[in-house]
Amino acid sequence: MDTIILAIESSCDDTSAAVIKNGLLMSNVIASQKVHEEFGGVVPELASRAHQQNIMPVVDAALKHAGVDKKDLSAIAFTRGPGLLGSLLVGTSFAKGLALSLHIPLVEVNHLQGHIMAHFVEPSPEYIATNPKLQGIDIKHPQLPFLCLLVSGGNSQIVKVEAYNRMQIIGQTIDDAAGEAFDKCAKVMGLPYPGGPWIDKLAKQGNPTAFPFAKPNIAGYDYSFSGLKTSFLYTLRDLMKEHQVDTVDALAEQIPNLREDLCASLQTTIIDILLKKVKKAAKDLGITRIAVAGGVSANSGLRDAMMQLSQPSSCIVHRQPSTYEVFIPPFSFTTDNAAMIAQAGYYKFLDHDFCPIDAAPYAQTTI
Ligand code: KG4
C-alpha cells in the first residue's frame, strides 16, 4: 500500500501544501502574501487572515498537482511551531479537521527541523518534469552526522544533525537573526520587504570592502547581529550628516553606487560572521559535512562562499581537513515551503510518531 502524506506549512507569511508519496515529492504549492510589503514587515493579524483565504485553494492545488485524492492520504503532517501563533493556528486547525474527517493520523513537525529536512527532499520524476529549475540538478543528500547552518528571518543557528529526530543546537544568535539583519538594513535604505533578496541583487554591483561594518566578538559558536545593524545605521546617519541631507535617496544622488556598495559590504560582513563560526564548529567537532538551510540560504553570496569552502585550500600544512563537503538545497526548498515539512513528516510517519488531536501550536521552541 502507498504511503501518501499531505503536509501543511503556515508558520509565517507563506501558505504551503505538499504531497509526498512513498518518500518522493509529488507537489509543493506555495502562496506568498504580498499584503505585508507596504508595512515593511509581516503583520501577524494580516498573515493569519491571508492564510485563511489561501489554505483551501493551496491544499486543493497540492492534491491536484500530485494526482492524489484525499481519501488516499495516509496522514496529515503540519508545522506546529515555532512561528506566529495566529498563522500556525490556521494550518494546525485545518490539518486537525482534515485528519479527523478522514480518520487518519496527524504528524506534527518542528519548522526548524523541517528546514534541515529540506536536504532530504527527493523530487519525483513527475515533479521534476513540471519544475524546469530542478531539471539537470544533481541533488546531493548529506550523510549523517553533519552540521547545518540554519539561517532564516527568525533564526540563526548551527545545528549538529545526528539523525532526523536527533539534532542539537550548538550555537545560535543571542539577539537578531541574519535574515532580520538583512531585512532591517534594507528597510533603512528604503528597499521593499523582505529586503534579503534585494540586498542580494544590489550587492552584485557593489564593492564589498566599501564600508567596514562592525563584527561581533562573541564566545563559542553563538552569533550576534544587533551590533552590525547599529553600525550600518550609524554609517548612514554619519554620511547623511556629512552630506547635509535628510534622506537616503538624497544621499544616493550625491554618492554614486551608494546602495550597491552598502549592500555588498553588509552582505559580505554577514557571510563572514556566519561562516567563521561554522568553520570553527566543524574544526572543533571534526565534522567535515556542512549544510545550509533556511530562507537566507537563498543568498547567492552565501551559496558561493559555501561552495568555496568545498574547494581545496591553498594552505598545504594543516592537521584538520582543509576542505568540506558542502550541501546547498535547491532554491525552491530554501524559503518556507511544505515539501520540507512533508519530508520530516514522512520520516515521523514511518516511526509511527503521531501527535494527539489536542496538540496546540507553539510560538517558540528549540529543536
Ligand atoms: O525561512 P524563511 O522563508 O522564513 C522564516 O522562517 O524566517 O526566511 C525568510 C528570510 C527573510 O529574512 C528574507 O529576507 C531572507 O530569508 N532571504 C534572503 C534571500 N532570500 C530570502 N536573505 C538574503 N538573500 C536572499 N537571496
Side-chain angles (χ1 to χ4, degrees):
M1 198 175 126
D2 290 326
T3 298
I4 307 177
I5 294 173
L6 168 73
I8 294 169
E9 154 66 33
S10 71
S11 63
C12 191
D13 59 340
D14 292 302
T15 320
S16 182
V19 173
I20 187 170
K21 183 174 177 182
N22 301 326
L24 294 181
L25 181 70
M26 305 302 292
S27 65
N28 181 37
V29 177
I30 305 174
S32 298
Q33 304 177 359
K34 299 274 171 236
V35 65
H36 308 287
E37 275 172 16
E38 63 177 294
F39 301 100
V42 177
V43 183
E45 175 60 26
L46 295 182
S48 52
R49 281 191 220 173
H51 281 305
Q52 285 177 26
Q53 284 169 354
N54 293 342
I55 194 136
M56 294 268 272
V58 164
V59 167
D60 201 41
L63 290 170
K64 210 160 145 194
H65 292 184
V68 161
D69 191 288
K70 62 181 184 307
K71 69 172 174 20
D72 298 324
L73 293 174
S74 316
I76 314 278
F78 69 100
T79 304
R80 187 173 168 193
L84 299 172
L85 265 188
S87 293
L88 288 163
L89 265 171
V90 179
T92 305
S93 310
F94 190 90
K96 286 179 183 178
L98 194 54
L100 267 180
S101 70
L102 295 170
H103 306 288
I104 53 175
L106 265 180
V107 179
E108 62 152 301
V109 175
N110 175 303
H111 180 75
L112 303 177
Q113 289 189 351
H115 270 304
I116 295 172
M117 286 301 112
H119 281 282
F120 297 93
V121 172
E122 187 71 57
S124 63
E126 296 91 323
Y127 184 80
I128 294 174
T130 53
N131 287 275
K133 284 187 183 155
L134 288 176
Q135 285 163 18
I137 291 186
D138 179 22
I139 301 179
K140 277 196 307 171
H141 307 302
Q143 240 181 47
L144 299 163
F146 64 95
L147 286 182
C148 188
L149 173 65
L150 177 52
V151 269
S152 67
N155 296 279
S156 295
Q157 301 177 331
I158 301 176
V159 182
K160 185 179 173 198
V161 185
E162 284 166 351
Y164 87 85
N165 56 359
R166 211 166 57 247
M167 302 184 187
Q168 188 192 354
I169 298 171
I170 58 167
Q172 61 188 320
T173 182
I174 58 166
D175 41 53
D176 293 342
E180 219 173 330
F182 270 113
D183 295 341
K184 287 184 176 162
C185 292
K187 192 174 176 184
V188 171
M189 286 185 283
L191 298 174
Y193 177 85
W198 288 89
I199 291 187
D200 190 355
K201 199 169 159 205
L202 288 170
K204 292 194 172 88
Q205 294 127 43
N207 172 5
T209 59
F211 298 100
F213 295 124
K215 286 187 191 165
N217 194 5
I218 309 281
Y221 310 124
D222 284 342
Y223 289 117
S224 165
F225 289 99
S226 68
L228 170 61
K229 215 175 57 187
T230 311
S231 166
F232 187 88
L233 201 66
Y234 284 5
T235 301
L236 260 179
R237 182 199 62 184
D238 293 348
L239 280 172
M240 278 157 72
K241 200 167 164 195
E242 190 187 319
H243 288 261
Q244 298 179 346
V245 291
D246 293 331
T247 63
V248 180
D249 281 344
L251 189 62
E253 278 174 25
Q254 295 196 26
I255 306 178
N257 233 32
L258 174 75
R259 282 198 177 86
E260 290 81 352
D261 287 349
L262 282 169
C263 290
S265 303
L266 176 73
Q267 181 170 297
T268 299
T269 310
I270 293 176
I271 294 169
D272 283 354
I273 294 170
L274 289 173
L275 293 193
K276 191 176 164 197
K277 291 288 172 98
V278 175
K279 284 193 275 186
K280 179 174 160 52
K283 188 176 169 207
D284 292 352
L285 300 176
I287 296 179
T288 53
R289 286 181 287 271
I290 302 178
V292 62
V296 178
S297 67
N299 183 268
S300 59
L302 179 59
R303 293 168 91 90
D304 289 349
M306 289 281 296
M307 286 320 294
Q308 273 170 24
L309 283 184
S310 64
Q311 304 298 317
S313 160
S314 56
C315 171
I316 312 164
V317 186
H318 36 237
R319 291 212 180 107
Q320 295 288 335
S322 60
T323 56
Y324 305 92
E325 216 182 331
V326 168
F327 299 87
I328 303 175
F331 269 111
S332 39
F333 306 139
T334 54
T335 46
D336 289 348
N337 66 86
M340 65 188 197
I341 304 301
Q343 190 63 40
Y346 175 67
Y347 289 142
K348 290 185 106 175
F349 178 85
L350 295 182
D351 276 358
H352 296 273
D353 185 356
F354 305 136
C355 94
I357 199 72
D358 61 354
Y362 49 81
Q364 284 184 336
T365 183
T366 55
I367 274 179

